Amino acid sequence: MVKRPEGRAPLRGGVAADFRIALACFIIALSFSTSAFAAAESDLLVSYDNTYASSVGGEDNAQVSAANAIAGCNAIYDRSGAGARIRIVGYHQAAQNLYQTTSKGGYVNWMNGYDAHMTDIVDAGNARGADLVTLICVSTADGALAVAQQPGRYSAFDPSGLWSTVVAHELGGHNFGCDHRDGHTNPKTVMLHNYCGGGAQGWFSNPNIWLNGARLLGGDSCLGVGPNGGDNSYLISANCQGRADAYTRIVTAPNLGNVVRRWSFNQTASDAPAGTTVTDSITGTELATVQGTGANFTGSGLKIPGGASGSGAAYLQLPGGVISSYANVTIEIWAKEISAQNWALVLDFNNGTANYLTLTASIGTDLNQQRFESVVGGATAASRPRRACCIITRSLTPAPAAAAGRGRGFATAIKLLISKSPTRSRRCRT
């Protein structure tokens, strides 16, 4: 416990270059190489009641405040050598008005006991595979900024306590088993925040770290000697994998058992002149057709040169009506850029300029940004620039009249799957 102190741009042709993009339902996911010594990442559900969201101007602001506090906690972990990290997996506004219905300790006990006040919050955490669940809400007066289980899953914060040091102390410290008494007094470390006089600096105790000429070995406070040798960073590092493994991480992926179209471009390396076809391996009849000039098979993909609209450069034409017959679809494309071309298209499903779905490989020639745009009846339904590393798999609802797909000028190792609906799968962390 922490005590309370006193307009759509024109889309031109073309594309592409040697850079691999995995796209699922118009989503780009990059794979990263990680160290064997990467931090153990615990998943967190952030919940709040409607009075808190209203007090900060809506749910978006409530979520940003929580994300900033968690980012600050992760920074404290990093500088302290704790070997842990917290990842927000979702947000949830409580179904009930919880304002001042009990103390923060009461909120924690309600969540832990699956009390009727909190069932929707706990269920939301379970549905997302959250290892940690926190609630932001004004409680009855209890003299605390926040309370957390030690160790455990649950914590509760007063809105005034939602900042990095308090978050690190509670769900970043107590939930991992940290004790106040293992904190260092001067300079004061996180677990002694507002104990033995005053606030703390953004460090956990760690005898291998010196700060302002002082070794951060805890156990020297007014509270007495702690149970963990004055080293909260080590305790977190010892417990973080178990915390991260408390619940199975839930990931979203295409329902590959329900694929209705698949084109794999694994033909022998050769030219692919206009009129070349590739057969859908699911139906055995639907043909994707090369249009224009300059395409060739590489043995593992279809390479297309890119070029402005009307240039005659090759692109791939999918059958008409390929997605418009489905209410919900997931689409996955694997592609690799060769060069940056202006507003390069990954795909374009349309029946004219009034109804279309478009994904670009770049915004202008900036390959670090992409645009997904959906227009139905001439009105933009969704237009959002994205960075490739930030987009995750989700479902796609197409424009009802979408007819034909064009991956104009976008290149290589393309596999297209269209499934009737997306699904979620579970993955155990290692």
Side-chain angles (χ1 to χ4, degrees), residues 133-152:
V133 177
T134 195
L135 171 67
I136 307 165
C137 184
V138 177
S139 70
T140 55
D142 58 8
L145 287 171
V147 172
Q149 291 179 307
Q150 181 184 331

Side-chain angles (χ1 to χ4, degrees), residues 293-375:
T293 61
N296 63 276
F297 293 111
T298 66
S300 61
L302 176 67
K303 184 176 180 181
I304 47 183
S309 297
S311 67
Y315 62 88
L316 187 72
Q317 179 78 45
L318 300 183
V322 70
I323 65 171
S324 58
S325 59
Y326 300 105
N328 295 281
V329 299
T330 297
I331 299 175
E332 179 177 320
I333 296 176
W334 287 82
K336 187 176 182 181
E337 287 184 347
I338 299 168
S339 64
Q341 298 197 31
N342 198 32
W343 289 101
L345 290 175
V346 181
L347 54 83
D348 184 9
F349 293 93
N350 71 84
N351 67 350
T353 58
N355 299 289
Y356 61 83
L357 289 172
T358 293
L359 178 70
T360 71
S362 61
I363 292 182
T365 57
D366 184 357
L367 294 177
N368 292 316
Q369 297 190 80
Q370 296 76 40
R371 172 176 288 179
F372 167 65
E373 188 166 71
S374 171
V375 171

Side-chain angles (χ1 to χ4, degrees), residues 226-251:
N228 299 301
D231 189 352
N232 277 315
S233 292
Y234 176 77
L235 182 69
I236 294 169
S237 71
N239 293 339
C240 61
Q241 189 64 59
R243 185 75 262 153
D245 291 340
Y247 287 79
T248 301
R249 174 169 286 181
I250 295 174
V251 296

Side-chain angles (χ1 to χ4, degrees), residues 46-51 53 59 91-99 117-122 124 135-137:
V46 176
S47 65
Y48 42 83
D49 86 325
N50 65 316
T51 60
E59 289 194 70
Y91 299 92
H92 177 76
Q93 181 167 290
Q96 299 188 42
N97 184 347
L98 300 171
Y99 180 81
H117 291 86
M118 298 287 183
T119 53
D120 65 296
I121 294 174
V122 177
L135 171 67
I136 307 165
C137 184

Side-chain angles (χ1 to χ4, degrees), residues 202-221:
W203 300 78
F204 284 101
S205 58
N206 182 338
N208 296 311
I209 294 176
W210 292 70
L211 180 63
N212 298 335
R215 186 184 183 204
L216 298 185
L217 175 63
D220 60 344
S221 75

Side-chain angles (χ1 to χ4, degrees), residues 264-273 276-278 295-303:
S264 299
F265 305 98
N266 52 9
Q267 287 81 353
T268 301
S270 62
D271 290 338
T276 301
T277 59
V278 178
N296 63 276
F297 293 111
T298 66
S300 61
L302 176 67
K303 184 176 180 181

